[in-house]
Amino acid sequence: MILTGDANIPAMPMTEAQVNHLRRLLAWLRCAYMLDEHMQRGFMQGAALSVKHGVATPERAGEILQRQADKINQVPAYVRQAHKMLSKALLDHDRAAGVVET
């Protein structure tokens, strides 16, 4: 994988070990700050199911969802954008390497 550079920083080839570190970093960001839209959707579905099954009241589920939304919104926009760009670069790298996502 090669991270593209700009006028100040040259393109940087990454070893497989560095790519794996990047994978772990992105996974941590995805879990800690729920930056992945699929995780956010799953969190909302879980809140809806907890209300449906009587485990939580609609007010309590709403409070939990709002707290999580506030946590996501506290992540700076440049971090969310970098997460998105690096995730795409990693996905492209995996496709080129023949890694199949299940």
Side-chain angles (χ1 to χ4, degrees):
M1 177 172 179
I2 298 176
L3 292 180
T4 58
D6 59 17
N8 298 321
I9 301 170
M12 182 178 87
M14 296 179 70
T15 66
E16 279 304 310
Q18 291 168 324
V19 171
N20 286 332
H21 284 298
L22 178 59
R23 280 190 181 95
R24 287 193 283 285
L25 172 65
L26 293 173
W28 176 79
L29 282 170
R30 199 173 295 124
C31 291
Y33 294 101
M34 207 172 285
L35 296 180
D36 184 79
E37 65 185 44
H38 300 295
M39 291 185 79
Q40 294 169 9
R41 192 174 314 116
F43 196 79
M44 289 186 289
Q45 289 172 345
L49 284 173
S50 69
V51 171
K52 180 180 175 183
H53 294 293
V55 178
T57 64
E59 294 79 21
R60 180 69 180 132
E63 290 171 10
I64 292 169
L65 285 174
Q66 185 59 52
R67 191 173 17 181
Q68 189 61 37
D70 292 343
K71 183 178 179 182
I72 293 168
N73 289 332
Q74 289 176 352
V75 177
Y78 71 89
V79 173
R80 291 194 300 267
Q81 184 64 27
H83 178 270
K84 183 186 277 187
M85 291 172 61
L86 288 170
S87 294
K88 183 186 179 309
L90 189 59
L91 187 61
D92 292 345
H93 168 75
D94 288 346
R95 282 188 189 128
V99 176
V100 179
E101 187 175 305
T102 58

